[in-house]
Structure formats: structure tokens, C-alpha cells
Amino acid sequence: MQPDQLTVLFAENGFGVTAHVYGPDTPPGRDTTGPGRHYAHVTRPLAQRGLETGVDFGADDHVVVAQLHDGTFLSISPPPDGGRPEVPGFPDAWLVSRYAPGNAELPEVLYDSRPGGPDARKRGNVPELLAAVDEYLDGLGVPSRQQVQAVRAGAESALHRAGFIPVVRVHETHHRLPVAMVDPGERRSAVTRAVDHLRAAGYRFTCPADLIDHSLPPTLPPSRSLAQVGEAVSAAGHTREVADALSELTAPGDGVLDQVVGVLHESASWWEGLGGASDPHYAARLRHIADMADGYVREIRAMRGDLADRHAAHPSRARPAPRVPARLDTRVLAAVATSPTAVRTLTGHPAEAVLAAPAAVRSAGPRR
């Protein structure tokens, strides 16, 4: 699956700004009435590989249909002459074929567990069915579940690095801006940053026009060393700055911590095949450490979300705004004034804050 097969939908309501990632692998909503609920154990694994799926009426029961990337279709159904199964969605046998409208060379039977069929011994076994389908899809070059998940993680990472917080529920996952981020301008800045990140990576998006600030220059996801991240945290005066720095560590998929967990798992796989008597022990230990680290990553990611929701200045580290005296004597202003091109050593006089301030601030001073 490619990034342009996913769409990020931004929306604003009374509760804030949300972003939903939609694609073929998006878990369907809870279906309590339609036939799809009986075949979720078949459609979900196909959708996780980026395939568009649906459930249609067949001769005796419903048929799962998945569209492949070459325009052909995969049909997974109970045998047409087998009658309706006692438990909907779990027949005694399966028939899988690939077909294309108008193609005389298809349909092609891929799996047949009917009595007398080449896969008869597997009967209605669902794991065996899915294993055979996966093997066939691998041969066609259909992206694996890991590749599809990596594409989705890229979109989630872009939202994460722009300041959004993941919300995980039973039937769906989405992202939102911090609840305390109520300033419209700040919201537009965060959404614009997310849109820039998504566009740069090739993702599609739909966003209300008033949530994008077109006056801001385009931005790319930051790339900072861990030392720079630490310096940013040390100098931060607002929770927003620390949440932004932690995003480098906690971004899903390409964040530093997720990459560390991935390296540990890869190292375990490599070590396991080294051939020594103790190597399986070391590999198992590495996997155990990786699993524990993955749990800590999720915990840190959740804490980063709580910190982003605070959206407040640190009481002892906030950087105070320069204090502008209510009135300055004209002779003092003239005494400390200097050429714009000259190098001047600051003396700490209150007038220097006014001279260093933007023109809009300085113009608010006293007039004679």
C-alpha cells in the first residue's frame, strides 16, 4: 500500500480539532445487523494487507470479495453446493477463486477444501484458509501487513510530530489537538504543520479551509539529534515545547524509541540463527527486553499526550516577557540609542528593552 491510498480527514467541532486516518485497512465500524459481521474474521486480515473488501450475496450464502491491485477479484465463500452453514461465517469447507469480468482465462481456483478437493483435509479451518490466501497474495506482490502498517504509522507519525494526541478506542483510533489548545491561531498553526508533513510524505488529506494558515511557510518534520532534544527540554518554558521534543522519541514507527525496539527484535532474529548452544537463550532474552521496552514506549507516549493536554507554562521555568516601562525620559532614550550597525554592550537599563522590541511595540510608547 502506498501513502496516497490513505486519507487523513481533519474536522473541527465543539470538542476541538480531530484527525482520522482512513484507508483499506481501517477497522470497520461495529456492524450488528449486516452480513459483514459474520465474516469479519476473513475480511479483516485481507483489509490489513491494504485490499478493498466487501460481502455480497452468493448462491447459498454470502461471499467475501476482495479487489486486487491489478483489477481482478478474489472470491472467498462456502461451496455453492454446500448449503448454509450451521454457524454463519464458519462453513464446513471453503472455495477461493480469482476472477475478472470479461477475462476468459479466469476464474482460477486457488483453494478448495470441499470433499474430494485438493485441500479437503483442511475442511473449514479458517487459519489454514488464511495461510493459503496469504501465500498466494505474497506471490502476487501484494504488500504484507507489516508494510501496510508502516504506511499507516507514517501518517500517524506526521500527526504526532505536529502536536496531535492519539485516542485509542475499541472500534477506532483517531488523533486530536490538546484540549487546552483553544487559541484559533495556534490550532491553525498545528493543523497547517500536520498538513505540510502529510503532503511532503505523499499522503492525501481533507481539511476545512479555515483550519489552514496559508501565510505560514511550508515546514518539514524536524530532524534533531538526541543531544539537541535534551537541550530543547532543558530550555523549555512551556509544556508545548517539551511535548514537541518528546515527539522525536515517541512518534509511532519512525520515532527513536520505536526504532530501538525494532533493532532489538531484528538482533534477536539474527542471534537465534548463529548456531551456538546458548544463542536461542540470548535471542529469547532480547525479545523479552524488546517487549518490555515496547510497553515503556507506550507508557511514555501516553504521558507525552497528557503533558500536551496541559498546554501551560512551567511555573518556575517560563520565560517572562520583557517589561516595558510605562514612561521613559527622552534624554535617556537618546543616551542609550546607537547606530543599527554598531556593536553595543548592554548595560541593563530598562530603556534597552524598548529599543530591542519590535516597532509595533515601540510605537505604543509616549508621544510628546
Side-chain angles (χ1 to χ4, degrees), residues 12 21 27 69 86 93 102 109 136 167 170 180 201 203 211 218 232 244 277 279 286 305 326 357 364:
E12 184 176 25
V21 182
H69 300 110
E86 294 183 7
V109 176
Y136 185 78
V167 179
V170 175
Y203 292 95
L211 283 181
D244 180 59
D279 292 335
L286 271 179

Side-chain angles (χ1 to χ4, degrees), residues 160 163-167 176-181 238-240 242-243 246 250 298-312:
H160 191 89
F164 281 75
I165 300 170
V167 179
R176 61 169 175 80
L177 287 180
V179 293
M181 186 183 288
H238 195 282
T239 58
R240 175 187 58 246
V242 178
L246 287 177
T250 59
R298 291 194 295 270
E299 185 177 356
I300 296 171
R301 187 176 292 142
M303 289 192 290
R304 173 261 180 194
D306 291 342
L307 182 68
D309 268 341
R310 296 282 292 276
H311 202 70

Side-chain angles (χ1 to χ4, degrees), residues 28-66:
R30 188 174 185 179
D31 183 3
T32 58
T33 58
R37 73 187 189 280
H38 297 310
Y39 288 92
H41 55 290
V42 178
T43 58
R44 180 68 186 277
L46 296 174
Q48 288 173 339
R49 297 196 64 159
L51 299 179
E52 298 279 357
T53 63
V55 178
D56 295 334
F57 288 103
D60 296 305
D61 198 1
H62 294 90
V63 180
V64 175
V65 178

